[in-house]
Amino acid sequence: PPARRRRRAELARIIGGIGSSHVPSIGVVHDQGRHDEPAWKPVFEAYEPVRAWLEERAPDIAIVVYNDHGSDFFFDRYPTFAVGTADHYGIADEGWGTRPLPELRGNYEFSWHLCNSLVYDEFDITICQEMKLDHGFLVPMHLCFPHEPDWPVAVVPVAVNVIQHPLPTGLRCYRLGHAIRHAVDGFPEDLKVVILGTGGMSHQLHGARFGHINPDWDQAWLDKIETEPESLTSITHQEIMEQAGAEAVELIMWLTMRGALGPAPRRVQRNYYAPMTTGMGLIALEEN
Ligand code: FE
């Protein structure tokens, strides 16, 4: 009925989700303008359909589920889940200076709505009024969105602990996605929201298995995140780490993205590229 349609149009809605790796070297290559080098060109080209899709759908807000790599949080106090509520977010210095990227714009009202809704849905998040963002957040952002002179979208950082055990389970991350969906659906403003889950895919950057990747396992993850994500929620951290390398456990953040989508989204893009030490995966899914 028209009245119901009108009411729906005045609420926020999730228009799609993106799963993406966040390899820091991509940031260096981007900043140095080396997009056409043979080793890197396939990475940047894979994002072109996603950039076109985002430009056409023009989301107002990007919720970015990512992990901080000791740039803003440190091991003396490391929250399991943290959500930003700032008006703007600075660029973290990861040890080689601040990258030449514009600061990111937040959305104060939406962020506080999200925090309230998550806490009342029993996710006891850490609420952050200031945050600085590292490559876990920034690399997928500049792969997906233009940023000159400014980003076209406001952001809400959702940081997940995937580096200091004990980590949240994959199932917990998936259910966080449900709770994010519930919050977005209840925000009384006509806003289009896209959600990104970043990290992974297979990689191990230390120890005897340095350089371990498992392309078959990564491809199976890409299959399942699209069509049967619940089958991924029972995989333990140990199993992910054994199969795909210790740092592949970052993939649990893709489950938050997927948990925020409906059962049968339309695939916009899927890509996999693994020439070096990390399986670089990409999936973009549009809500029906
Ligand atoms: Fe990472």
Side-chain angles (χ1 to χ4, degrees), residues 120-166:
Y120 286 121
D121 275 344
E122 300 177 350
F123 278 88
D124 305 318
I125 50 171
T126 298
I127 298 171
C128 301
Q129 299 183 53
E130 291 179 0
M131 285 171 109
K132 286 194 172 172
L133 305 170
D134 75 8
H135 74 271
F137 185 106
L138 296 170
V139 165
M141 279 299 291
H142 68 63
L143 286 169
C144 291
F145 292 98
H147 54 81
E148 289 164 354
D150 244 323
W151 303 94
V153 68
V155 299
V156 183
V158 177
V160 178
N161 171 24
V162 294
I163 61 177
Q164 173 143 285
H165 293 260

Side-chain angles (χ1 to χ4, degrees), residues 22 67 69 135 203 250:
H22 64 216
N67 71 289
H69 300 74
H135 74 271
H203 60 310
E250 292 181 340

Side-chain angles (χ1 to χ4, degrees), residues 44-230:
F44 293 104
E45 281 181 349
Y47 283 82
E48 280 170 15
V50 179
R51 290 169 77 99
W53 170 61
L54 290 168
E55 188 178 352
E56 192 228 313
R57 298 300 315 273
D60 301 287
I61 293 177
I63 297 173
V64 183
V65 185
Y66 74 108
N67 71 289
D68 177 86
H69 300 74
S71 312
D72 197 34
F73 300 112
F74 205 62
F75 299 119
D76 56 338
R77 51 192 89 179
Y78 207 99
T80 302
F81 298 117
V83 180
T85 58
D87 278 331
H88 68 278
Y89 300 94
I91 310 298
D93 183 345
E94 298 187 57
W96 55 83
T98 303
R99 293 184 55 196
L101 295 170
E103 292 199 334
L104 292 108
R105 168 170 54 91
N107 182 314
Y108 182 83
E109 287 79 13
F110 178 85
S111 296
W112 274 105
H113 168 84
L114 177 62
C115 290
N116 277 300
S117 183
L118 290 178
V119 171
Y120 286 121
D121 275 344
E122 300 177 350
F123 278 88
D124 305 318
I125 50 171
T126 298
I127 298 171
C128 301
Q129 299 183 53
E130 291 179 0
M131 285 171 109
K132 286 194 172 172
L133 305 170
D134 75 8
H135 74 271
F137 185 106
L138 296 170
V139 165
M141 279 299 291
H142 68 63
L143 286 169
C144 291
F145 292 98
H147 54 81
E148 289 164 354
D150 244 323
W151 303 94
V153 68
V155 299
V156 183
V158 177
V160 178
N161 171 24
V162 294
I163 61 177
Q164 173 143 285
H165 293 260
L167 314 182
T169 64
L171 180 60
R172 185 69 173 152
C173 291
Y174 189 63
R175 287 179 176 158
L176 175 64
H178 294 341
I180 290 173
R181 172 62 171 255
H182 182 225
V184 172
D185 285 349
F187 187 67
E189 203 176 313
D190 182 12
L191 294 178
K192 289 178 279 183
V193 178
V194 66
I195 180 164
L196 284 73
T198 90
M201 300 185 85
S202 60
H203 60 310
Q204 174 148 341
L205 303 179
H206 61 273
R209 288 208 309 166
F210 176 90
H212 172 79
I213 61 170
N214 186 342
D216 291 341
W217 192 92
D218 287 343
Q219 292 284 7
W221 179 281
L222 286 166
D223 291 342
K224 288 179 181 166
I225 198 79
E226 180 177 344
T227 57
E228 44 176 313
E230 287 182 16

